[in-house]
Amino acid sequence: MSEAQAVMTGNVTTVLIDEERLQARIRELGHEITSDYAERDLVLLCLLKGGIYFTSDLSRSIDLPITLEFVRARSYAGTESTGEVKLSWIDGLDISNRDVLIVEDIVDTGLTLVEIWKALEAQNPATLDICTLLYKEKHLAQPFPLRYIGFTIEDVFVVGYGLDLEEQYRNLPHIAVFHPDDADRDEPTGLLNPP
Ligand code: IMP
Ligand code: MG
């Protein structure tokens, strides 16, 4: 659904992080990862579907030989976490003694990561770390080691750049705040730590 279509249905999105700022930050993360993982055996593990654009752009900012892998995780119904995480692995994942970096679109309750972390740890990677584009600080149920964070945001529902609401809005080139309808809307800044 385009933004124009969203407006026509009464739902509105406002830009939170524009494309330029998003891409600049992703390049920074890519450079950081390049220096941190030099001489290592880096496996970028993309969490589908939300991590698709982030992984795609981030991987091209990493100037190292890497392996790309994918896992599908689902926990959301509409704008609420169901509290239950379903994982579907792509067959043949080989991470034993390798340096695994999980690439996630957003950390909200952290439940998805807890489940994935447990499943991956059982396969004895050399190192296991997390790179998330967005982090909703307020929600995190338990402290979790997030090695790379793109942006910390307020507790708002965001869409775009891979993030969806019932499979819509993923292909927006920026991150936007989703407003269920246009009534009583304040303009949220939403962003807690502009880098
Ligand atoms: P968690 O398990 O609660 O940390 O949720 C992680 C997953 O929920 C993310 O990978 C997203 O797919 C989804 N999610 C959490 N917050 C949002 C949001 O604001 N917009 C869209 N999807 C979200
Ligand atoms: Mg989702």
Side-chain angles (χ1 to χ4, degrees), residues 76 104-106 108-112 136 156-158 163-164:
Y76 255 62
E104 167 74 302
D105 52 358
I106 189 164
D108 181 1
T109 63
L111 273 173
T112 308
K136 284 188 197 170
V156 287
F157 193 81
V158 286
L163 291 146
D164 72 306

Side-chain angles (χ1 to χ4, degrees), residues 97-116:
N97 290 317
R98 305 181 74 187
D99 298 285
V100 178
L101 185 59
I102 303 167
V103 183
E104 167 74 302
D105 52 358
I106 189 164
V107 176
D108 181 1
T109 63
L111 273 173
T112 308
L113 283 178
V114 169
E115 288 304 313
I116 288 180

